[in-house]
Amino acid sequence: EAEVAQSPRYKITEKSQAVAFWCDPISGHATLYWYRQILGQGPELLVQFQDESVVDDSQLPKDRFSAERLKGVDSTLKIQPAELGDSAMYLCASSSGGAGELFFGEGSRLTVL
Amino acid sequence: GENVEQHPSTLSVQEGDSAVIKCTYSDSASNYFPWYKQELGKRPQLIIDIRSNVGEKKDQRIAVTLNKTAKHFSLHITETQPEDSAVYFCAARTSNNTGKLIFGQGTTLQVKP
C-alpha cells in the first residue's frame, strides 16, 4: 500500500539552528499538506500545496518557516532559526484532490533545546 | 476564522460500553467531516467520514452523525474494546477553493478491560 514518506523521523537541534524536513506524497496526489502537532493538541495546518502552488499558508510563521514543492511532487519544510516553541511533530499529508481523504506520513518529531 | 471544538478531552469507559465524542464547527460552508484515530507515536488514520448531504453513516461498531443546522457532528463507538484506546480527532473541511481541513483538539479514549 502506498504511503506518505517523511524524513527524518526524529530531529534534535539547538535553538537558532536551521532544520529541514522532507516529504514524499503518495504518487499522483496533487495536494500536499504540512501540519504541526504540538503534544496533546490537534494538527494545525501550516501550508497547503496544489501541485507546486501554495494555496494556503495563512498559519505559516513566514519570518522563520518556509516550504516549497518545486516540481509538484516532494516537498521540503524549513525552519530557520529554530526556537524552543517549535518543538512538535511535523506531519505531512497528501490527497488526490482538495476534497479527497488525507493520508498522513509518520511525521518528523522535532525537539529544540 | 474557522474553528472546530471537540469534547470531551478525555473519556474513560469500561470494555463493552459505548463512547461518544462530540464536535462543533464554526464555518457553515463546511461540507466534509472526517474522524481520525491516532495511536501513541503513530500517524493519524481515517476511521470514518461523512459529507454534508447525509445525516448519519455507520461502519460496523463506528457511526457518525451530522446536524448541519446546529453545526454539530458526533462519533459513536459501540461495544468498545481495549484496542479502541487512542486519541480521536474530528475535522471539518471548508467548501472554498482550498478545501482547508481544520482539526479539533482531540479526545483521549481509554477503554478499561
Side-chain angles (χ1 to χ4, degrees):
Chain A
E1 182 177 321
E3 292 186 342
V4 176
Q6 287 189 248
S7 67
R9 289 291 311 279
Y10 305 94
K11 178 69 177 179
I12 300 174
T13 190
E14 294 184 344
K15 61 181 181 179
S16 81
Q17 296 299 303
V19 295
F21 303 111
W22 176 81
C23 172
D24 191 14
I26 293 172
S27 178
H29 280 192
T31 311
L32 184 147
Y33 314 77
W34 283 102
Y35 281 87
R36 176 172 59 187
Q37 186 176 26
I38 296 171
L39 192 64
Q41 297 183 20
E44 174 195 21
L45 181 68
L46 293 176
V47 61
Q48 179 176 337
F49 290 92
Q50 181 66 30
D51 299 310
E52 67 276 6
S53 300
V54 173
V55 296
D56 192 316
D57 63 356
S58 56
Q59 299 302 310
L60 188 71
K62 298 180 186 65
D63 57 334
R64 298 185 300 108
F65 286 64
S66 64
E68 60 182 17
R69 193 185 185 198
L70 294 176
K71 297 182 180 179
V73 181
D74 58 340
S75 175
T76 302
L77 177 70
K78 297 180 181 178
I79 309 173
Q80 182 174 19
E83 296 181 353
L84 296 178
D86 296 332
S87 295
M89 176 74 83
Y90 291 84
L91 290 163
C92 179
S94 70
S95 68
S96 58
E101 174 186 348
L102 263 67
F103 294 84
F104 283 90
E106 293 282 6
S108 294
R109 181 167 295 283
L110 173 65
T111 301
V112 182
L113 303 176
Chain B
E2 307 101 336
N3 189 44
V4 176
E5 296 287 336
Q6 183 172 346
H7 300 281
S9 58
T10 60
L11 180 59
S12 181
V13 300
Q14 208 65 38
E15 182 178 0
D17 288 350
S18 295
V20 180
I21 303 170
K22 299 181 179 181
C23 289
T24 58
Y25 58 97
S26 61
D27 184 359
S28 57
S30 296
N31 60 2
Y32 174 64
F33 308 91
W35 286 88
Y36 284 82
K37 176 183 181 182
Q38 187 176 30
E39 297 177 357
L40 191 62
K42 296 191 176 181
R43 73 185 83 192
Q45 293 197 302
L46 180 73
I47 55 171
I48 195 167
D49 56 12
I50 191 168
R51 297 189 184 274
S52 58
N53 56 346
V54 298
E56 184 174 358
K57 183 177 179 181
K58 190 174 182 180
D59 182 3
Q60 298 183 335
R61 296 185 298 108
I62 295 172
V64 58
T65 59
L66 171 65
N67 182 330
K68 286 189 64 181
T69 302
K71 292 188 286 186
H72 168 274
F73 58 114
S74 300
L75 177 71
H76 304 253
I77 306 174
T78 59
E79 301 171 24
T80 54
Q81 301 167 3
E83 50 265 39
D84 293 330
S85 297
V87 181
Y88 291 81
F89 294 98
C90 63
R93 169 178 276 149
T94 62
S95 61
N96 62 16
N97 290 337
T98 68
K100 184 175 179 177
L101 195 63
I102 308 294
F103 283 82
Q105 292 300 297
T107 296
T108 301
L109 174 64
Q110 181 186 25
V111 180
K112 298 178 181 177

